[in-house]
Amino acid sequence: MAILWALMALLLLSFVLLPVLRRRRGVIEQVHPGHPDAADPADYGFVREEELDIRMPGPDHDLLDVLDLVQRTHDHRAAAQLLAGTEIAGELRWQRVQAFAGAAALELQQRPGGVSETPGGQWLRVWRAEQPKDAGGAAVHAEFLVQQAWRTSTPGTDDFRIIMEEARDACGQAALLSPGDPVPYIIELSVARGLHYGRPEFEQLWLKILDRAPAHMGAHLAALHYWCEKWHGSRETAYSFAEAAAARAPRGSLLAAMPLFAVFEHLPEVNLVASFYQSEVVTKAVHGALHAVHSARESDPMLAHVRHLLVFFLVRSERWSEAMGELIHVDGHVGALPWTLSANPAAEFALYRALAVAGYEANGGSPATLPG
């Protein structure tokens, strides 16, 4: 039995760690770097691995400019102005709140402070102290606490519960400052998962979000976690939630891609059957996500999230040309599922990109035939 498990592990590693690929009679084979038959993503104008931006799923130049300014000057005012000018019910506000909170949490992790050192993320504390009625600052603070709970504590411990209860109070304060804003309630979805809200309590929270932003993709993705098998639901419940969201999606909405996220959340940890990714449930979910992507506005802030997950599934199902079609839209930014689950998101993305290029070339593709 030990030998069998060792062979299975080697089989998995041969796929996951395959560094360079080449074309020969339609079969993808390993070759040495620099080999003339090696597939080179650079031939397609793709960004070098070390230059991939792991902070965001796609470009948000205003956000990145403000983040750089805030972290350089430790002055929160630019962040407050950016959020004040961002549509309350839109996807972009939720993403920006997450980004500011994540930046503060990461700073604190890197510089916890001491006798002679100011702790990282001090600009967020100053923001809350100087502008206690600012809805944007209140939302960022609530999300910061949620991220701190998941980053620094173990679910089920007293430390985790204490931070999450503080986050719940912060969500309530943020909601009072901006009554029509769905973001404080979206943040609370993570609190609900961590503090084990019962189904009636969770559904009451969910109704508050639907009243404010019924087609909010970010909110649906946050709620999906609660319904997943690993938290407070099941595979069937999660699929049902995702399929219901897709069925009521308005024209041009990315909610039609929700079933693909539900499938991803319930992938088997070890899957040696390649045909799984050509199965009916995966094929149907991929089809729905592709339809959503092709129907959505190019400016939709959630579009990159869906494209990144499509790259993962299209490569796994050996749909090389379609994978390349998504890669040309998202290359350069890798701050999205599934890459962010890896300790090295850029390397994980680069591996799948190399697989896509190799498979594309193995079937006669080239930079000249790259889909537009």
Side-chain angles (χ1 to χ4, degrees):
M1 180 61 72
I3 295 175
L4 177 60
W5 280 110
L7 289 172
M8 291 171 66
L10 286 172
L11 180 60
L12 284 174
L13 286 172
S14 70
F15 174 77
V16 174
L17 300 180
L18 195 61
V20 186
L21 306 152
R22 74 168 179 178
R23 171 167 57 92
R24 177 185 290 177
R25 296 187 301 276
V27 178
I28 298 175
E29 298 179 349
Q30 182 175 1
V31 297
H32 296 292
H35 190 286
D37 284 343
D40 187 357
D43 292 342
Y44 296 83
F46 291 145
V47 174
R48 294 167 62 88
E49 179 182 329
E50 59 269 25
E51 296 173 355
L52 291 168
D53 191 328
I54 65 172
R55 297 173 294 179
M56 302 290 295
D60 183 348
H61 300 298
D62 289 341
L63 172 62
L64 294 179
D65 288 346
V66 169
L67 264 177
D68 289 341
L69 178 63
V70 169
Q71 294 183 312
R72 188 174 66 254
T73 65
H74 308 292
D75 189 334
H76 66 276
R77 286 176 293 181
Q81 291 172 0
L82 182 65
L83 285 182
T86 305
E87 181 190 0
I88 283 181
E91 305 280 356
L92 201 58
R93 182 178 175 84
W94 168 228
Q95 290 192 20
R96 288 173 171 177
V97 165
Q98 287 182 295
F100 286 129
L106 182 59
E107 283 183 36
L108 182 59
Q109 180 181 337
Q110 294 172 340
R111 300 195 315 276
V115 176
S116 59
E117 182 185 38
T118 301
Q122 182 66 20
W123 51 268
L124 178 54
R125 297 180 184 85
V126 174
W127 188 355
R128 292 296 294 131
E130 292 187 354
Q131 296 180 267
K133 301 298 184 182
D134 181 69
V140 173
H141 179 239
E143 173 64 15
F144 168 81
L145 290 170
V146 167
Q147 293 194 25
Q148 279 295 95
W150 292 111
R151 286 170 182 260
T152 65
S153 306
T154 302
T157 63
D158 287 342
D159 286 346
F160 181 84
R161 179 183 53 78
I162 289 168
I163 300 173
M164 277 297 189
E165 287 179 349
E166 186 180 354
R168 179 167 56 188
D169 292 341
C171 288
Q173 294 170 19
L176 288 174
L177 292 171
S178 185
D181 189 349
V183 169
Y185 300 103
I186 298 173
I187 297 170
E188 193 179 348
L189 291 173
S190 187
V191 176
R193 181 161 49 97
L195 292 183
H196 303 274
Y197 281 22
R199 184 165 182 164
E201 188 178 5
F202 183 87
E203 289 181 340
Q204 282 188 341
L205 173 61
W206 182 238
L207 286 174
K208 292 177 182 178
I209 295 170
L210 292 182
D211 286 343
R212 290 160 176 81
H216 199 292
M217 179 74 172
H220 280 79
L221 291 177
L224 177 65
H225 289 298
Y226 179 91
W227 296 119
C228 284
E229 189 173 60
K230 59 188 173 185
W231 287 105
H232 307 297
S234 64
R235 180 191 302 266
E236 293 73 23
T237 306
Y239 279 17
S240 177
F241 173 80
E243 288 165 1
R248 65 171 181 268
R251 184 178 181 83
S253 169
L254 288 166
L255 287 177
M258 282 297 299
L260 189 65
F261 286 87
V263 170
F264 179 75
E265 290 295 337
H266 294 88
L267 288 178
E269 290 187 10
V270 177
N271 175 43
L272 299 178
V273 182
S275 61
F276 170 80
Y277 290 93
Q278 287 94 34
S279 66
E280 182 180 356
V281 64
V282 173
T283 300
K284 182 180 177 182
V286 167
H287 178 77
L290 285 170
H291 174 75
V293 161
H294 297 153
S295 303
R297 294 176 292 108
E298 281 297 323
S299 59
D300 192 316
M302 294 302 296
L303 185 56
H305 288 273
V306 181
R307 289 192 188 278
H308 278 291
L309 196 62
L310 272 170
V311 169
F312 171 86
F313 277 98
L314 291 170
V315 167
R316 286 295 189 99
S317 56
E318 301 180 7
R319 295 167 65 168
W320 312 116
S321 180
E322 290 168 295
M324 293 294 286
E326 301 307 320
L327 278 167
I328 61 175
H329 290 287
V330 298
D331 189 72
H333 297 82
V334 296
L337 287 175
W339 328 121
T340 50
L341 297 179
S342 168
N344 189 338
E348 186 78 0
F349 174 83
L351 171 62
Y352 274 78
R353 186 177 63 183
L355 287 166
V357 170
Y360 182 60
E361 293 187 353
N363 287 274
S366 72
T369 61
L370 187 66

